[in-house]
Amino acid sequence: MTQERGRRPGLRLTARGAIALVFVCTLLAQAAASSTVVGLVFCVACLAGVLLVQPRELLSLVVTPPLVFFVATLISALIGAFGAPSLVQALGVGLFTDLSAGAPWLFAGSALVLGVAWFRGLTESVSELRAELRANRAAAAAAGGRGRRSGAEAPVYAPEPEGYFEPRVYGSTREQEKD
């Protein structure tokens, strides 16, 4: 059995799959009501996500741990606030308390994802994104910047389709109504 060079066999996730993995694990850990358990599960899920994600999707995964942690904590605090005399007050206090207790774990999980992704090829993903953005900018400048100074970048506008703002009354145009 031959394999491509540099390719490891096994399970590979998309960025969405890895984000979903981290989210579900963190949300389930919120039921433990212990910030240590939630933090450990979050860090382990982040590590699993970054190790299982496809290398070309590392950039998408690296930026999401804070958002995932916040949304899981928000849902947990919202569920915990039901039945309280003041829903808004209970939600605010619960969210503040949970985010404050989880902040060190959030930073640790984010740093863990960034560090592992760096060694897995994050720099190549960033380089590819920069090259793509440069190519798009150059194509836009070539298409819309003819006759202008080369140093000034003109914004590129997409015109509206012909007749886009002409209203139709009950399925017919105004010209057809006159006939």
Side-chain angles (χ1 to χ4, degrees):
M1 180 168 121
T2 62
Q3 295 178 353
E4 293 178 21
R5 186 175 165 164
R7 184 171 177 232
R8 295 186 331 197
L11 178 67
R12 286 285 170 221
L13 297 175
T14 62
R16 289 180 188 162
I19 293 166
L21 172 75
V22 174
F23 176 71
V24 169
C25 290
T26 305
L27 192 59
L28 291 174
Q30 293 282 349
S34 169
S35 63
T36 305
V37 172
V38 172
L40 285 173
V41 169
F42 175 73
C43 288
V44 169
C46 284
L47 180 63
V50 76
L51 289 174
L52 294 175
V53 75
Q54 298 171 1
R56 69 175 181 269
E57 298 193 30
L58 284 169
L59 189 58
S60 299
L61 179 64
V62 166
V63 298
T64 58
L67 180 62
V68 168
F69 190 84
F70 174 75
V71 172
T73 305
L74 177 66
I75 291 170
S76 173
L78 187 60
I79 291 170
F82 284 127
S86 173
L87 179 72
V88 175
Q89 184 180 12
L91 176 64
V93 169
L95 191 59
F96 178 76
T97 304
D98 292 345
L99 287 175
S100 297
W105 295 105
L106 171 62
F107 293 132
S110 298
L112 185 65
V113 167
L114 184 61
V116 173
W118 187 275
F119 287 109
R120 289 203 58 221
L122 180 63
T123 55
E124 288 84 19
S125 296
V126 172
S127 298
E128 289 173 11
L129 177 64
R130 284 184 178 170
E132 183 179 324
L133 290 174
R134 277 191 213 111
N136 289 344
R137 193 176 308 137
R146 293 187 182 107
R148 296 182 180 249
R149 292 181 298 161
S150 61
E153 291 185 28
V156 178
Y157 298 102
E160 296 295 332
E162 188 72 27
Y164 184 75
F165 289 107
E166 295 174 9
R168 294 185 179 264
V169 180
Y170 301 108
S172 64
T173 60
R174 293 181 184 172
E175 288 82 28
Q176 290 176 347
E177 292 174 3
K178 292 178 184 178
D179 293 334

